[in-house]
């Protein structure tokens, strides 16, 4: 099997070097970019399997680049881990809302970062394409990674796709944040329970144009339920 390609988007040469060293040592291929423009150039040359994205970049910020990546059909499924010196809860939520799937605060431990990279790649590894799932007027195809509502395409990031897939195959049941973390992020997850709320919000926003955001229901004190009734 080809080793995964990881694109590092980081403008500080010392950090870029440290990341490249650790990632290469772990057996992955490394691509490097120092800003958004060179990141897009790299992506056009070779599609990475994961992007490590620094928040503070010269010119276009990491947050804006994450949004661009999510808006582009070719890159919307690439998992993004955001790197940042900013550890505030508010920033964390903003980073996740921009489209990142995970978040690491500098200074980071290379060991923890590598564990997160591996966990993320495992979560996004191509699985045996499951069968198309239908719930209400929604249809989800794991093989093509497409979701449609009455035939209209619904655009989802990779985590929201997994979340919706889980919900559509487990309708009407209530799941706590901890249970959803376990199911969607896996036991290797480092993410906090609040992260679930961010992705629920993103899933609802994606379902809003087709007026199906109300299928994702908040059950006060318990968690969330996907209901087609
Ligand atoms: Ca930087």
């Amino acid at each position: 099997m080809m080793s995964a390609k990881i694109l590092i988007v980081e403008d500080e040469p010392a950090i870029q070097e440290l990341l490249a060293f650790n990632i290469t040592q772990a057996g992955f291929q490394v691509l490097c970019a120092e800003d958004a423009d060179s990141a897009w150039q790299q992506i056009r040359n070779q599609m990475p399997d994961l992007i490590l994205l620094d928040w503070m970049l010269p010119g276009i910020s990491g947050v804006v680049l994450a949004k661009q990546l999510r808006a582009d059909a070719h890159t919307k499924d690439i998992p993004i881990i955001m790197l940042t010196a900013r550890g505030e809860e508010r920033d964390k939520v903003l980073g996740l809302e921009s489209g990142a799937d995970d978040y690491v605060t500098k200074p980071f431990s290379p060991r923890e970062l590598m564990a997160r990279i591996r966990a993320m790649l495992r979560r996004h590894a191509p699985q045996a394409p499951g069968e198309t799932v239908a719930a209400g007027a929604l249809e989800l195809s794991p093989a093509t990674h497409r979701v449609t509502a009455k035939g209209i395409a619904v655009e989802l990031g990779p985590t929201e796709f997994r979340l919706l897939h889980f919900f559509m195959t487990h309708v009407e049941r209530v799941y706590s944040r901890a249970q959803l973390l376990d199911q969607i992020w896996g036991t290797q997850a480092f993410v906090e329970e609040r992260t679930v709320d961010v992705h629920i919000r993103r899933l609802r926003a994606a379902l809003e144009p087709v007026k199906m955001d109300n299928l994702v229901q908040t059950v006060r004190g318990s968690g969330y339920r996907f209901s087609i009734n």
Side-chain angles (χ1 to χ4, degrees):
M1 198 188 119
M2 285 279 288
S3 64
K5 279 191 216 74
I6 297 174
L7 173 61
I8 303 167
V9 189
E10 165 64 77
D11 59 308
E12 283 157 69
I15 298 177
Q16 193 189 93
E17 238 172 80
L18 174 73
L19 288 167
F21 175 79
N22 280 288
I23 292 169
T24 310
Q25 286 291 99
F28 298 113
Q29 288 174 263
V30 169
L31 308 167
C32 287
E34 65 286 341
D35 57 23
D37 285 344
S38 59
W40 279 111
Q41 262 170 34
Q42 288 280 24
I43 291 165
R44 268 179 232 116
N45 280 337
Q46 304 187 63
M47 196 58 84
D49 299 292
L50 184 147
I51 299 174
L52 272 184
L53 178 56
D54 183 34
W55 179 305
M56 301 297 278
L57 292 172
I60 294 168
S61 78
V63 170
V64 173
L65 179 56
K67 285 187 185 154
Q68 291 177 349
L69 289 162
R70 281 296 172 253
D72 187 303
H74 301 286
T75 55
K76 71 180 172 61
D77 295 325
I78 304 174
I80 300 171
I81 299 179
M82 191 85 92
L83 289 174
T84 176
R86 314 168 66 158
E88 309 236 325
E89 191 62 25
R90 196 162 38 93
D91 293 332
K92 205 177 273 193
V93 171
L94 183 61
L96 290 171
E97 279 180 344
S98 71
D101 299 283
D102 199 359
Y103 190 99
V104 174
T105 308
K106 293 180 194 171
F108 51 84
S109 113
R111 225 175 114 235
E112 186 194 333
L113 180 66
M114 289 317 301
R116 287 197 187 206
I117 288 174
R118 284 199 194 90
M120 184 72 71
L121 287 171
R122 240 191 331 266
R123 292 210 292 277
H124 290 271
Q127 292 146 348
E131 284 169 37
T132 298
V133 187
L138 276 176
E139 235 182 66
L140 178 149
S141 160
T144 61
H145 240 254
R146 284 221 173 94
V147 177
T148 55
K150 297 174 198 141
I152 303 163
V154 177
E155 296 300 331
L156 294 175
T159 303
E160 289 72 57
F161 184 89
R162 293 170 58 86
L163 191 55
L164 182 62
H165 190 198
F166 177 77
F167 275 144
M168 287 174 69
T169 48
H170 299 81
V171 292
E172 310 301 337
R173 272 181 268 171
V174 180
Y175 290 93
S176 69
R177 288 170 179 80
Q179 285 173 321
L180 288 171
L181 271 182
D182 221 44
Q183 292 291 337
I184 315 300
W185 281 264
T187 44
Q188 260 278 351
F190 295 85
V191 283
E192 300 152 36
E193 294 195 4
R194 275 197 59 158
T195 305
V196 174
D197 301 337
V198 174
H199 288 282
I200 289 278
R201 219 175 310 154
R202 265 154 65 170
L203 177 58
R204 280 187 181 135
L207 292 172
E208 218 223 301
V210 291
K211 302 199 164 44
M212 291 190 187
D213 48 315
N214 58 338
L215 301 189
V216 184
Q217 301 173 348
T218 303
V219 183
R220 202 166 280 278
S222 301
Y224 295 103
R225 170 178 53 213
F226 188 77
S227 174
I228 50 173
N229 292 325

